[in-house]
Amino acid sequence: MTMTEKRLLRVLQGEALWPPPVWLMRQAGRYLPEFRALRAQADFITRCMTPDIATEITLQPIRRYGMDGAILFSDILILPWAMGQSLHFAEGVGPVLEPIRSATDLDRLRPERVADVTAPIMETLRRLRRSLDAPADQSVLGVGVAGATTLIGFAGSPFTVACYMVEGGSSRDFLEPRRMAYEQPALFDRLIDLLTQATATMLCAQIEAGAEAVMLFDSWAGLLPPPQFRRYVIEPSRLIIDEIRRHHPKVPILGFPRLGGLLVGEYAKATGVNALALDTSADLALAATLVPDTVALQGNLDPLCLLAGGDGLTREVERIRHTLRGRPHIFNLGHGVLPQTSPDEVGRLVEQVRRL
């Protein structure tokens, strides 16, 4: 297939398709028994940095469901780790980092290390692109979707990555980075600027390795009041997208300013994203009025609805499909697949989304 025959790419280029293409955030995850089998073999960073493992994990949901998008198995915190910040993932806790709290801490980071450290990730992307685009009789997928699935690279947006870097791990409110933005704005600006440049460079490298689209995840954008949302979410995203377009003008870019509320329209217009991913709280009909018709909307089924399944899932899938019918739409969740989700319900979801 040519690029324009891939349904996800067609929507990212502004075409409205019926039924919409579908993929799910965290579609390669703990709800799949084949993922859990690989998870037991290596720690998280090793899985991300080993092309054999990361390729296999990325392809697992494609084999099962024939998703229209295959998103690279990696993590948004690989970037600070590649720059030299310590990182490990503790069971039941999540990521643990040595926090950045001073100019001295920030000076220890080495963005020039990123290309060498992330070389295995670029090899994973090359392998994935070959696998996804292989002719049907040579495909390793085992399903009839050879050449139909779009390969998606990704990175965390600067504000969200900075949250983890300054806090030193996960948090409900990320007090430390938000306080730094007020008390030490020059230091926080330096960190955001560093991440903006490094993220743009890394996403360009992902594209050169085979990613056909890239996505920016700003999971904690909704923590910020409007002036800071514009300063730390919209502006860095705009700069990253401008840099990507300078080198790869035809590659589509998705943005996910989670819990951005009414500011998602401004985000879409100011950054120039090809697609705006919407979280579960977003009103689809309202978002459609805020965002230009040429920008695809992605989302936004509640992951808990997928977990519950049954008639409630059927109703919500139909509601979402028909709310956005007639404009570019990518069916997805409002956040990631929950680990307790039944693989059978995911299969039923995909089948229903594709129903004419």
Side-chain angles (χ1 to χ4, degrees):
M1 285 189 174
T2 64
M3 284 183 64
T4 54
E5 290 172 313
K6 295 189 175 187
R7 300 184 81 252
L8 179 55
L9 280 178
R10 288 169 62 186
V11 171
L12 288 170
Q13 291 162 0
E15 187 176 352
L17 296 180
W18 186 262
V22 56
W23 69 279
L24 304 178
M25 290 184 279
R26 292 188 192 153
Q27 63 188 17
R30 285 179 286 169
Y31 75 102
L32 290 175
E34 55 267 42
F35 176 90
R36 294 195 296 271
L38 277 177
R39 186 173 182 258
Q41 296 179 15
D43 65 79
F44 183 77
I45 295 178
T46 300
R47 277 178 270 146
C48 291
M49 302 303 295
T50 305
D52 285 348
I53 298 176
T55 299
E56 171 61 23
I57 289 174
T58 303
L59 293 177
Q60 286 173 348
I62 313 306
R63 289 199 191 96
R64 266 195 183 249
Y65 309 113
M67 298 289 193
D68 292 293
I71 190 163
L72 169 71
F73 179 77
S74 186
D75 193 87
I76 65 171
L77 298 182
I78 290 296
L79 179 59
W81 176 74
M83 289 193 290
Q85 187 172 14
S86 66
L87 170 67
H88 71 275
F89 288 82
E91 191 67 32
V93 176
V96 179
L97 306 93
E98 185 69 27
I100 302 292
R101 299 287 173 81
S102 68
T104 300
D105 296 335
L106 187 55
D107 289 341
R108 295 193 189 101
L109 299 179
R110 293 288 180 266
E112 65 272 14
R113 300 174 69 245
V114 173
D116 287 341
V117 175
T118 61
I121 293 175
M122 307 309 157
E123 173 60 21
T124 296
L125 284 162
R126 286 189 285 271
R127 294 185 187 190
L128 285 167
R129 185 66 182 274
R130 288 195 297 267
S131 297
L132 292 169
D133 286 355
D137 58 352
Q138 300 174 30
S139 176
V140 300
L141 298 178
V143 293
V145 295
T149 301
T150 298
L151 178 58
I152 306 168
F154 76 94
S157 292
F159 175 69
T160 287
V161 175
C163 279
Y164 290 98
M165 294 176 73
V166 176
E167 191 74 28
S170 296
S171 169
R172 290 183 178 180
D173 44 28
F174 287 99
L175 292 179
E176 292 298 334
R178 292 163 63 200
R179 186 166 68 176
M180 180 186 286
Y182 284 116
E183 294 182 349
Q184 303 181 76
L187 178 61
F188 197 68
D189 284 351
R190 274 190 61 201
L191 176 57
I192 293 293
D193 289 346
L194 174 65
L195 288 170
T196 299
Q197 295 165 21
T199 301
T201 300
M202 186 176 69
L203 287 176
C204 285
Q206 290 186 15
I207 292 166
E208 287 150 17
E212 297 168 278
V214 292
M215 185 166 175
L216 280 166
F217 286 86
D218 221 335
S219 303
W220 298 106
L223 290 174
L224 296 174
Q228 287 190 327
F229 185 96
R230 295 182 176 101
R231 180 175 180 177
Y232 296 128
V233 174
I234 291 179
E235 182 59 13
S237 297
R238 183 191 68 78
L239 292 171
I240 290 168
I241 291 168
D242 285 352
E243 181 66 10
I244 293 171
R245 293 255 165 82
R246 197 165 67 84
H247 299 281
H248 306 284
K250 295 183 179 180
V251 173
I253 302 163
L254 303 89
F256 185 33
R258 182 170 168 261
L259 299 174
L262 294 176
L263 288 168
V264 297
E266 185 176 339
Y267 173 97
K269 294 170 186 174
T271 63
V273 289
N274 299 89
L276 176 72
L278 297 168
D279 61 80
T280 299
S281 71
D283 183 291
L284 292 178
L286 176 59
T289 68
L290 298 173
V291 174
D293 291 343
T294 54
V295 176
L297 295 179
Q298 178 175 286
N300 68 338
L301 182 72
D302 187 347
L304 275 170
C305 183
L306 177 57
L307 173 64
D311 292 343
L313 175 61
T314 300
R315 288 191 297 270
E316 276 298 286
V317 170
E318 287 309 297
R319 181 187 67 80
I320 291 169
R321 285 207 316 165
H322 286 280
T323 298
L324 294 178
R325 186 168 186 173
R327 69 164 294 147
H329 175 215
I330 301 159
F331 197 99
N332 206 309
L333 304 180
H335 208 223
V337 179
L338 296 169
Q340 305 91 333
T341 303
S342 164
D344 292 340
E345 290 295 344
V346 175
R348 193 164 73 85
L349 166 68
V350 173
E351 181 182 349
Q352 185 180 348
V353 171
R354 289 179 170 160
R355 193 173 298 154
L356 287 171

